[in-house]
Amino acid sequence: LSPDGQYILVTIIKRPFSYTLPYTSFPQEISVWDMNGQRTYLVADVPLEENIPIEGVRTGPRHVSWTSCDPARLLWFEALDGGDGLFFVFHDGTTGVSTYDAGRFLDTDKPKDGKVVLDFKAVEYLSSAAIGRVMSLDKKLKVAQGKLVLCNIRKDIFEVFQLLQLPRVLTICNDLDQAIEKF
C-alpha cells in the first residue's frame, strides 16, 4: 500500500512455472493498481530467470518498493550491464530521480565476487547509514578480491565524501565510462 493509501504495488507470478527454479525466478508482472482495482502503471514485465550467470543478476527492475517520504513514489534498482556483473543505478519510478536514502537498497550481506559500480547519477540525498553500507560493501568486496567503483556523485554529496576522507579509500570516477575502465 502506498504511503498515501491510494495505490497498491502488485506482483503477479505468471506462467511458465519451473520445476528447476524457485518461485522467485518465475515470470512476474509488477504493477501499481488504484483502490478501484484498475492497473495504473506497469513497472515491469519480468521473464523467467533462466540462463543467468552464477554471479549475475536478472535484468530489469528489482527490489521495487514505496518510499516513505512521498505519497506514491516507487524506487528500485536495475542492472546496467545485462546482468553479468553488478553495474546498477537507483531509479525513481515516477520522476526518474532518487531522492531518499537510495543506499538502503544495497545488499551488503552477500556481496558479489567481482566488479561493482554504484552510479549515483540519480541520487540527491545519501544518509550516513547509506554511506556506512557503501563502506561495508567496499570492505566485503576487497576481502572477496572484488572491487567497488563509485561514479556520478553530486557535488554536495562528494563534498561530504571529502570531509570524511572517503576518496582516499574508495575508487570514485566522474562518469560510468570511467568507472567501467577501472576494471
Side-chain angles (χ1 to χ4, degrees), residues 15-56:
R15 294 180 186 273
F17 305 129
S18 170
Y19 289 106
T20 59
L21 298 171
Y23 80 93
T24 55
S25 297
F26 294 173
Q28 304 173 8
E29 178 184 287
I30 304 169
S31 56
V32 175
W33 293 54
D34 64 21
M35 298 308 283
N36 295 321
Q38 300 295 314
R39 185 174 78 181
T40 60
Y41 180 71
L42 176 64
V43 177
D45 193 10
V46 181
L48 181 67
E49 292 182 22
E50 57 185 353
N51 301 322
I52 295 176
I54 290 174
E55 292 298 324

Side-chain angles (χ1 to χ4, degrees), residues 47-181:
L48 181 67
E49 292 182 22
E50 57 185 353
N51 301 322
I52 295 176
I54 290 174
E55 292 298 324
V57 295
R58 74 168 171 83
T59 58
R62 294 180 292 133
H63 301 287
V64 179
S65 65
W66 299 107
T67 65
S68 59
C69 61
D70 290 301
R73 177 176 286 180
L74 292 173
L75 290 177
W76 65 81
F77 64 89
E78 186 169 353
L80 294 178
D81 64 350
D84 291 334
L86 186 61
F87 296 93
F88 64 90
V89 66
F90 302 104
H91 285 284
D92 179 318
T94 55
T95 66
V97 176
S98 295
T99 56
Y100 178 76
D101 197 9
R104 68 192 169 110
F105 293 102
L106 293 175
D107 178 4
T108 57
D109 294 328
K110 298 178 183 173
K112 300 289 182 183
D113 278 0
K115 306 170 185 177
V116 177
V117 172
L118 293 183
D119 186 341
F120 283 80
K121 179 172 48 178
V123 178
E124 292 182 358
Y125 169 79
L126 198 65
S127 71
S128 59
I131 293 171
R133 295 185 85 178
V134 168
M135 295 304 298
S136 177
L137 179 60
D138 181 63
K139 181 179 178 182
K140 289 178 182 183
L141 283 166
K142 285 177 180 173
V143 167
Q145 304 301 312
K147 185 173 184 175
L148 174 66
V149 181
L150 284 61
C151 67
N152 289 318
I153 300 174
R154 290 170 47 108
K155 182 181 175 187
D156 54 338
I157 293 174
F158 187 73
E159 287 173 359
V160 173
F161 278 31
Q162 286 179 313
L163 286 172
L164 297 171
Q165 299 185 359
L166 296 181
R168 294 176 64 183
V169 293
L170 296 173
T171 304
I172 301 174
C173 297
N174 291 330
D175 59 40
L176 186 59
D177 292 332
Q178 283 182 348
I180 293 170
E181 288 176 11

